[in-house]
Amino acid sequence: MAFIHGAHIQIEALSHRYRAARTNALEDVSLTIEPGEFVALIGRSGCGKSTLLHIMAGLVMPTRGQVLIDGATVEGPSPEWVMMFQQPSLFPWMSVAQNVALGLVFNRRGHDAKRRVPELLELVQLSEFSDRNVQDLSGGQQQRVALARSLALKPKVLFLDEPFSALDAFTRASLQRDVRTIARELGITTVLVTHDVSEAALMAERAVIMTSNPGRIRRNVAIDRKAWDGGDAYQAERMSLMTAYEDVAGDSLQTSSLPPAASSTSSVIQRPPLEKTAVASMPVASVRRA
Amino acid sequence: MTRLAVIAVPPQATINQRGADMIRILRPLARSGLLSAVGIAGLFVFWWLGGLIVAGNPRTVAFADFAPAPTLARLGEMLTSGAVAEMSVPSLQRVGLGLFWAALIGVPLGILVGRIRTARAITNVPFQFLRMISPLSWMPIAVMAFASWDGAIIFLIAVAAVWPILFATAAGVHRIDPAWFKVARNLGANPYHMLTRVILPAISQDILTGIRLALGVAWIVLVPAEYLGVTSGLGYAINDARDTLEYDRLAATVLVIGVIGYGLDAVLQQFIKRLSWIRQE
Ligand SMILES: Nc1ncnc2c1ncn2[C@@H]1O[C@H](COP(=O)(O)OP(=O)(O)OP(=O)(O)O)[C@@H](O)[C@H]1O
Ligand SMILES: [Mg+2]
């Protein structure tokens, strides 16, 4: 597949409250993601990671603020940005190839399917499964089909909402590697939601740490790309990310009016700015409820 | 005695694996076939005994032709003369048309009711109310509203058949995994795609199950509906046989009704099985 120029994402002062909820699921979230960057959103369960991702993908409309992708406000789903979910949710009445072609059909490019689908199946190493019913596939293979389905439209952004969390460790590792490589090679901007610090260290260039009630971004941590190959670099990055994560979690329990980046108790080695000058605006922490 | 035992239980070694597999597959089939045969035989015995009792009682001896022997003899005649086809075809057409209209109305309404909560809330009471009214109670209205007897009968069948189709469809739509809608929306599906690529394939099984239930109801409503005005069909044939006191013809017609109904149901059941995307294992 040809190189795709990934999109630039700008999140501006985003707040969201679900209709039934009493507190904001997200509060004053701002973030900039550079074209082709791989960002991991990490945080405890319920901190609003999925909400943020759904808003970025245009599947949920925010209460306040906006998301700009390549300068245009997101107002709904688009073939330019697609989301992969925790469950592959393939259509069981279709073959593997038909599932992969779905996005093309929905966007009146069904005529491309004959050429594109074999290409995509090769990319996710499922060529020989083309005509099989998706119910005959393993969980990992199904998630690969979902990946191919997402890539069919040549999206500029890929949103991943814990797509590996339902897989066994071995399958997860190989899929993590492949997704990262594919995203890298195609140049797609990727936002991965995960609560697994190791996964973030293994896949992303930057981790954005969130805290809950209300959901806020507390810290940006750059990750050395050497970590992707495993080994010592990975262990070091994982450790420092873990420390930052716990630090933020501890932070959010205290009553602190300091912005987290300025917190003097921080034990995290602050990294130099990213080469791509990914500047993320840090939210100013307000007094937290006890 | 010993010889018999040897024949009945061949040494294990002589049964090869394929043979064992065949037996494993065939045994339950043979068993269910045998049990069905027992059931059918039981029904015949019951019928036959009933015939004997009727024939033995001087007050009911006039109805002795209801017994299996005269009935089956008459049925054979009716099959060769084409009488069975002649009375079945109009009935099948009426049921077919009634089911067609019921599906045409029931499936879209069922999708609306299953998909839109407000529609469900609005229609719940009226539909449950209408459903409980025996379709045959619409008969006077049907006769007034439709120019032809055929039209009235088809209307009655449709009124009876629409509810199982509507409710099965609505239940099917209600059960669709919401994630499928999210995935489709995320990939850019418009409402037309949603309907044709997601909803309809997802509920095809439910629609067919609804139609199968509707067929059962329609087939039951058909006969009394055909007692009306028309001069063709299975219901008419029953009435006609009664009027001419041909009880063997009457019983043979009842048999035809049962066999066709069973056959249609079996065909639909096979069709549902074939079309299903749900894994059986
Ligand atoms: N549809 C909804 N209606 C009301 N509240 C919701 C809804 N979806 C999520 N929430 C609430 O919003 C907050 C953020 O939820 P979200 O799903 O974004 O969390 P998350 O970080 O993705 O968690 P997890 O790691 O468990 O997936 C939670 O407190 C949750 O209870
Ligand atoms: Mg989530």
Side-chain angles (χ1 to χ4, degrees):
Chain A
M1 249 173 80
F3 188 82
I4 302 165
H5 199 72
H8 177 272
I9 304 174
Q10 173 111 27
I11 302 172
E12 291 179 347
L14 208 66
S15 291
H16 188 70
R17 180 185 296 225
Y18 284 104
R19 222 176 296 162
R22 264 188 276 130
T23 54
N24 280 359
L26 292 175
E27 190 153 295
D28 197 25
V29 170
S30 297
L31 184 68
T32 304
I33 300 171
E34 296 301 318
E37 198 182 0
F38 199 130
V39 170
L41 288 178
I42 57 177
R44 293 264 160 77
S45 178
C47 72
K49 305 183 295 290
S50 297
T51 305
L52 181 54
L53 206 65
H54 277 70
I55 291 173
M56 288 164 90
L59 293 171
V60 169
M61 286 297 121
T63 318
R64 245 177 312 134
Q66 63 172 348
V67 177
L68 301 162
I69 294 186
D70 274 347
T73 307
V74 172
E75 276 160 348
S78 152
E80 305 259 283
W81 51 85
V82 289
M83 171 117 103
M84 244 180 104
F85 304 93
Q86 183 169 354
Q87 297 300 329
S89 293
L90 303 173
F91 293 129
W93 50 86
M94 293 179 183
S95 68
V96 167
Q98 287 170 323
N99 268 284
V100 171
L102 215 55
L104 295 171
V105 172
F106 287 166
N107 289 279
R108 298 204 182 79
R109 276 158 45 191
H111 48 90
D112 275 356
K114 220 178 210 152
R115 189 173 50 81
R116 297 271 296 135
V117 170
E119 217 176 274
L120 288 155
L121 286 176
E122 199 180 322
L123 194 68
V124 298
Q125 298 152 38
L126 284 178
S127 293
E128 65 271 43
F129 292 88
S130 179
D131 297 324
R132 293 276 275 281
N133 185 289
V134 291
Q135 291 170 100
D136 300 339
L137 269 54
S138 72
Q141 290 169 331
Q142 292 192 16
Q143 204 55 285
R144 283 174 185 275
V145 176
L147 175 65
R149 179 179 67 183
S150 304
L151 294 174
L153 292 165
K154 298 189 182 168
K156 293 179 171 178
V157 186
L158 194 56
F159 296 112
L160 308 171
D161 194 355
E162 309 197 39
F164 316 115
S165 57
L167 305 172
D168 65 88
F170 188 74
T171 314
R172 188 189 313 144
S174 80
L175 210 56
Q176 283 168 338
R177 216 172 26 242
D178 290 353
V179 167
R180 190 192 59 209
T181 309
I182 289 170
R184 185 92 238 141
E185 282 177 359
L186 300 182
I188 305 174
T189 308
T190 310
V191 185
L192 168 73
V193 158
T194 179
H195 52 243
D196 180 357
V197 170
S198 319
E199 186 168 281
L202 201 63
M203 295 183 76
E205 292 164 89
R206 173 159 58 121
V208 173
I209 306 176
M210 293 179 68
T211 54
S212 55
N213 274 324
R216 293 166 177 283
I217 294 182
R218 301 292 290 217
R219 189 165 304 177
N220 279 262
V221 180
I223 297 164
D224 191 343
R225 275 190 214 165
K226 288 201 206 88
W228 298 352
D229 302 326
D232 290 346
Y234 161 69
Q235 290 301 344
E237 289 297 320
R238 196 179 74 90
M239 278 313 294
S240 72
L241 193 54
M242 189 63 105
T243 317
Y245 187 64
E246 277 164 4
D247 189 46
V248 165
D251 241 26
S252 70
L253 293 176
Q254 298 164 8
T255 309
S256 155
S257 57
L258 282 172
S263 165
S264 54
T265 57
S266 170
S267 60
V268 186
I269 309 127
Q270 290 297 312
R271 311 201 149 271
L274 292 170
E275 349 160 19
K276 284 179 175 170
T277 64
V279 184
S281 41
M282 302 298 297
V284 179
S286 57
V287 178
R288 308 196 61 83
R289 297 177 304 132
Chain B
M1 187 63 221
T2 40
R3 253 192 78 199
L4 252 179
V6 169
I7 293 162
V9 187
Q12 284 298 310
T14 63
I15 303 173
N16 63 25
Q17 190 51 44
R18 268 186 65 194
D21 283 350
M22 284 292 279
I23 288 168
R24 215 178 40 243
I25 293 162
L26 287 179
R27 189 172 283 157
L29 275 180
R31 192 179 145 78
S32 76
L34 188 71
L35 291 178
S36 298
V38 169
I40 294 166
L43 196 62
F44 265 91
V45 168
F46 214 70
W47 183 11
W48 175 71
L49 284 175
L52 283 186
I53 293 166
V54 168
N57 187 334
R59 281 175 55 207
T60 55
V61 74
F63 303 108
D65 277 354
F66 272 127
T71 299
L72 290 177
R74 187 66 189 258
L75 182 61
E77 261 174 52
M78 284 161 68
L79 278 169
T80 45
S81 73
V84 168
E86 198 184 320
M87 65 192 188
S88 306
V89 169
S91 289
L92 286 170
Q93 275 174 351
R94 288 175 192 131
V95 165
L97 276 169
L99 283 178
F100 169 78
W101 284 109
L104 205 68
I105 295 163
V107 171
L109 268 181
I111 291 174
L112 278 183
V113 169
R115 190 90 179 92
I116 302 168
R117 197 178 305 163
T118 319
R120 187 158 55 243
I122 291 172
T123 55
N124 186 32
V125 173
F127 281 177
Q128 295 295 346
F129 167 78
L130 289 171
R131 183 173 76 103
M132 296 313 284
I133 299 170
S134 162
L136 291 173
S137 44
W138 298 106
M139 203 181 286
I141 294 168
V143 171
M144 278 191 288
F146 288 86
S148 68
W149 288 107
D150 256 334
I153 291 171
I154 291 165
F155 170 78
L156 291 179
I157 292 171
V159 166
V162 75
W163 304 114
I165 297 177
L166 196 160
F167 289 122
T169 305
V173 172
H174 199 56
R175 267 202 314 274
I176 297 178
D177 185 351
W180 284 342
F181 291 119
K182 194 153 88 170
V183 161
R185 204 155 70 83
N186 177 44
L187 291 172
N190 60 29
Y192 172 77
H193 292 134
M194 252 347 160
L195 181 68
T196 56
R197 302 278 168 161
V198 183
I199 297 176
L200 286 177
I203 62 167
S204 60
Q205 186 94 346
D206 302 277
I207 293 176
L208 283 173
T209 306
I211 290 178
R212 188 177 161 213
L213 290 172
L215 174 74
V217 180
W219 199 243
I220 288 166
V221 170
L222 170 81
V223 172
E226 281 181 341
Y227 287 171
L228 286 170
V230 289
T231 53
S232 64
L234 294 161
Y236 167 75
I238 295 248
N239 245 357
D240 191 49
R242 191 195 60 188
D243 292 346
T244 56
L245 309 179
E246 292 167 274
Y247 297 117
D248 51 349
R249 183 153 75 91
L250 203 159
T253 309
V254 169
L255 213 58
V256 169
I257 291 172
V259 169
I260 295 179
Y262 179 87
L264 288 176
D265 186 70
V267 167
L268 260 180
Q269 200 181 348
Q270 277 307 312
F271 195 60
I272 291 171
K273 237 180 177 168
R274 283 276 173 80
L275 218 79
S276 171
W277 46 261
I278 297 160
R279 279 284 180 276
Q280 312 286 345
E281 296 98 283

